[in-house]
Amino acid sequence: MDKNFQEEQFTGIIKFTPPLYKQRYQFIKDLVGKYKPKKVADLGCADCTLLQMLKFCSCIEVLAGLDICTSVMKENMHRLSPLPGDYLQPAERPLTVTLHQGSVAHKDPCMLGFDLVTCIELIEHLEQSELVKFPEVVFGFMAPRIVVISTPNSEFNALLPGKALFRHPDHKFEWNQAQFQSWALETARRYDYSVEFTGVGHPPTGMENVGFCTQIGVFVRKYPQTSESAQSEKPTEAVYKTVFRAVYPSLKDEKYLKNAVVSEVIFTAQNIKRSLLDHLMAEHEEYNNDPVERKFQFQPSMNRFSEDLGKLVVEKSMEPFVHGNVVYIPLTTIFSFPKVNRLCGTFEKLCKLIAGKVTLSSDGSAVMFNTELENEEN
């Protein structure tokens, strides 16, 4: 939460590289890579830096941020909007990003159903009354599979020259290792979680007893939460204010899927066409060794693929062929390409998605291209 505090300013005994806030965010990113959560909420999201990092994690489909301060979120929420490239190449998975203004001491149904909840440098900013309510909101009501809480380790403060009483003027307290672990163990026991302790920001050699600069507790729920218990706790009214929402384009949306499939089919078919015509041209040049014959156009070489052979090829859906001035690329050949196959899943869906968007033969079995256009391009 206090990223803007210049942790890298400590040049006396300790200097963290990369800065401590980046180490905390990397810890979360590594945890996401390990557990593959689909829905992640960051409580105390502040300038949205962690959310911006997590939106690139392919497993995440829902991201939510919560902070008491609206202005900081509004100054930075543009970083969570889709970029032009997201529309040009939509991801396979959907992604929705939402920011809410509100207190972690209050319950809101929009925060139900999350797999991972992060509280990075948050609890030390809470008033005593908020800290008392915090465990029931996060562990009792939200009850995600995993909760990560990081907070300053006050035992490390003696190694940080130039600090005041606390590392940040808004901190209400800073716990030592025993205090944090006592609170975390009691919270885990009360709400049926296990907890493991770790941290980032290693102490100097020989001072390991001081512990990490930032202490971290990773809580994992012992038993699945039943839908009945979650529903019984659900408040009837929302208390958070939504200040931002972005829905990213994805291939789960048929509109974007259709565009992607049509583009990939045309791209694949054009590559096949060029490869075929290059092959036929090479055969033509090899066949016509007589200089007199070189004056003939490309057309006779193409006609070496006879009409009967062409029909046979289409019937067996095996190879592309040329008839007259038209190149035919069977849809079954295009469907065999991995990316097209992955996008469509079934041949029937391929046919449905490209209907009316790609020029097909009369029986719908092949994509058609005019070779005269190819000659003009060359």
Side-chain angles (χ1 to χ4, degrees):
M1 189 169 181
D2 53 354
K3 171 200 162 182
N4 291 328
F5 182 47
Q6 298 295 313
E7 291 162 317
E8 59 269 34
Q9 73 183 346
F10 300 121
T11 58
I13 301 176
I14 299 295
K15 182 175 182 180
F16 297 110
T17 304
L20 204 56
Y21 77 90
K22 289 188 177 181
Q23 293 186 42
R24 291 193 287 261
Y25 293 159
Q26 186 61 49
F27 180 89
I28 299 300
K29 189 175 180 181
D30 292 343
L31 203 69
V32 167
K34 178 180 179 180
Y35 289 101
K36 301 291 190 292
K38 288 187 176 181
K39 300 181 68 176
V40 179
D42 183 29
L43 308 186
C45 63
D47 65 1
C48 308
T49 299
L50 178 57
L51 294 173
Q52 185 185 20
M53 286 180 61
L54 295 180
K55 77 174 187 175
F56 296 103
C57 297
S58 60
C59 62
I60 297 177
E61 298 181 0
V62 175
L63 273 176
L66 174 70
D67 204 275
I68 196 69
C69 182
T70 306
S71 60
V72 177
M73 288 190 291
K74 287 186 174 182
E75 287 174 7
N76 296 278
M77 63 188 185
H78 65 277
R79 300 156 65 187
L80 302 174
S81 298
L83 300 172
D86 293 314
Y87 292 95
L88 294 174
Q89 292 186 317
E92 293 188 19
R93 61 62 156 108
L95 175 62
T96 300
V97 184
T98 310
L99 296 178
H100 306 282
Q101 187 273 328
S103 168
V104 293
H106 298 151
K107 300 175 182 179
D108 190 298
C110 72
M111 283 295 172
L112 292 173
F114 283 85
D115 305 308
L116 170 64
V117 169
T118 61
C119 309
I120 307 303
E121 306 301 277
L122 168 66
I123 59 173
E124 64 273 11
H125 292 266
L126 302 180
E127 299 286 353
Q128 181 60 30
S129 60
E130 297 172 315
L131 183 64
V132 169
K133 296 177 182 177
F134 172 83
E136 173 56 28
V137 173
V138 176
F139 295 93
F141 173 67
M142 295 176 63
R145 179 187 170 201
I146 303 170
V147 179
V148 180
I149 297 178
S150 81
T151 191
N153 169 18
S154 64
E155 295 174 65
F156 205 100
N157 289 352
L159 305 180
L160 305 177
K163 69 170 184 60
L165 177 63
F166 295 143
R167 298 185 194 178
H168 190 280
D170 188 57
H171 287 186
K172 308 304 186 290
F173 62 90
E174 290 181 3
W175 282 334
N176 61 33
Q177 295 176 82
Q179 289 171 317
F180 176 57
Q181 292 181 17
S182 175
W183 176 88
L185 287 168
E186 173 57 24
T187 299
R189 183 198 63 77
R190 189 186 312 161
Y191 296 100
D192 290 324
Y193 279 75
S194 63
V195 59
E196 292 186 0
F197 298 102
T198 182
V200 295
H202 288 272
T205 302
M207 304 185 70
E208 286 78 10
N209 63 308
V210 171
F212 293 101
C213 186
T214 292
Q215 48 190 340
I216 297 174
V218 179
F219 300 76
V220 178
R221 196 175 65 225
K222 292 181 179 179
Y223 312 108
Q225 186 188 38
T226 63
S227 58
E228 292 79 9
S229 63
Q231 185 64 34
S232 66
E233 290 284 345
K234 186 175 180 179
T236 56
E237 294 183 1
V239 295
Y240 296 160
K241 178 183 177 181
T242 300
V243 297
F244 173 84
R245 187 171 187 269
V247 179
Y248 278 64
S250 98
L251 298 180
K252 298 295 182 182
D253 185 325
E254 186 157 314
K255 174 181 68 175
Y256 295 111
L257 177 61
K258 180 178 288 189
N259 291 339
V261 170
V262 169
S263 296
E264 192 62 28
V265 165
I266 293 174
F267 174 77
T268 302
Q270 286 178 335
N271 284 340
I272 294 173
K273 178 192 72 171
R274 291 190 183 100
S275 178
L276 174 63
L277 295 182
D278 288 346
H279 176 72
L280 292 176
M281 177 65 80
E283 282 191 348
H284 173 70
E285 292 178 352
E286 182 179 350
Y287 180 76
N288 293 324
N289 290 325
D290 188 338
V292 177
E293 295 293 332
R294 293 184 185 275
K295 65 182 180 180
F296 290 110
Q297 299 298 313
F298 185 63
Q299 183 70 28
S301 176
M302 291 190 296
N303 280 340
R304 293 181 62 198
F305 277 71
S306 69
E307 184 175 355
D308 290 338
L309 176 59
K311 288 180 179 179
L312 179 64
V313 169
V314 171
E315 288 171 1
K316 292 189 175 183
S317 302
M318 292 177 62
E319 298 290 343
F321 70 99
V322 177
H323 178 63
N325 290 327
V326 179
V327 179
Y328 295 82
I329 299 105
L331 281 180
T332 50
T333 300
I334 296 173
F335 183 68
S336 70
F337 279 68
K339 188 169 182 180
V340 177
N341 189 288
R342 187 176 69 253
L343 285 170
C344 301
T346 66
F347 184 77
E348 291 70 23
K349 191 168 186 179
L350 167 63
C351 297
K352 176 185 175 182
L353 291 171
I354 67 172
K357 300 292 185 178
V358 178
T359 303
L360 299 175
S361 57
S362 57
D363 63 355
S365 66
V367 175
M368 298 169 56
F369 285 112
N370 194 315
T371 60
E372 291 181 351
L373 296 178
E374 176 74 14
N375 289 335
E376 290 175 7
E377 292 174 1
N378 293 337

